[in-house]
Amino acid sequence: TTMKAVFSTSLLLLASTAMAQTFNAADFPPVNAVPPVDTPQMKEWLKDINLADVPKLDLHPGNPPAACPEPAKIPADQCWWTCQQCLGTDIDRCPNAGDWGITFDDGPTLNTVPLLATLKANNIKATFFVMGSNVVRNADVLKQEHAEDHHIASHTWSHFPLTSLSNEQIVAEVKWTEKAVFDITGLRMKYIRPP
């Protein structure tokens, strides 16, 4: 098992769940920063996750390199999507010829509102890969995406490159985003698109 296999799915669908929890933006970590892993909430989440089988790979600090390394220098159990185009179980195309999957990343923001109006005017549904940091700042926009039947999926809390984070930090990025979306909409996300 590699980290790629654990976090390989690129499209997220939502399943309806019970009523949303009470949402309070003050209950969440600082925006645009990797959430801390030593909070009581994180300790609860980590108790429910067995990280024993998740490999501890070397971290790759910073953004991906401008040029791909020589293939022989990439470990056999790792995948660099940018360089190798390895898909694993990722969803990379629509099942029917002629179908399109329209996706938007990094929201919701106030710029999402006119986009939603355009999609609605043209009877188009899309998948919105949302950042938890933006979800807690723009809860009403997320509610509108949900009310208009768009798919909502995770794009992590802070948009930090996951290959530069520990496994516990990756859990924090994913779980805080899941909590924000659930508390606001009552929906549980199934998929994630890593930044």
Side-chain angles (χ1 to χ4, degrees), residues 109-118 141 144:
T109 69
L110 297 180
N111 294 324
T112 307
V113 176
L115 172 62
L116 288 168
T118 299
V141 180
Q144 183 179 350

Side-chain angles (χ1 to χ4, degrees), residues 48-126:
D48 293 334
I49 299 172
N50 180 4
L51 293 176
D53 293 330
V54 178
K56 293 188 185 283
L57 303 175
D58 291 336
L59 301 182
H60 299 279
N63 288 321
C68 292
E70 296 176 33
K73 292 186 178 180
I74 300 174
D77 66 344
Q78 294 183 29
C79 165
W80 288 39
W81 163 252
T82 308
C83 303
Q84 297 167 290
Q85 302 287 305
C86 40
L87 293 176
T89 58
D90 289 359
I91 299 168
D92 72 326
R93 64 196 66 203
C94 294
N96 301 314
D99 286 354
W100 288 84
I102 299 174
T103 66
F104 299 95
D105 291 2
D106 303 339
T109 69
L110 297 180
N111 294 324
T112 307
V113 176
L115 172 62
L116 288 168
T118 299
L119 293 172
K120 187 174 188 175
N122 290 283
N123 196 29
I124 297 172
K125 300 299 177 194

Side-chain angles (χ1 to χ4, degrees), residues 1-13:
T1 305
T2 66
M3 180 152 324
K4 185 217 166 263
V6 174
F7 299 101
S8 66
T9 307
S10 63
L11 270 184
L12 286 120
L13 301 174

Side-chain angles (χ1 to χ4, degrees), residues 36-51:
V37 297
D38 59 353
T39 65
Q41 178 63 72
M42 271 303 300
K43 289 177 183 176
E44 281 297 311
W45 286 328
L46 288 170
K47 280 197 302 191
D48 293 334
I49 299 172
N50 180 4
L51 293 176

Side-chain angles (χ1 to χ4, degrees), residues 169-185:
Q169 288 173 310
I170 293 170
V171 170
E173 288 277 337
V174 172
K175 294 301 285 182
W176 281 112
T177 303
E178 288 178 356
K179 178 175 173 37
V181 169
F182 180 79
D183 286 1
I184 293 166
T185 67

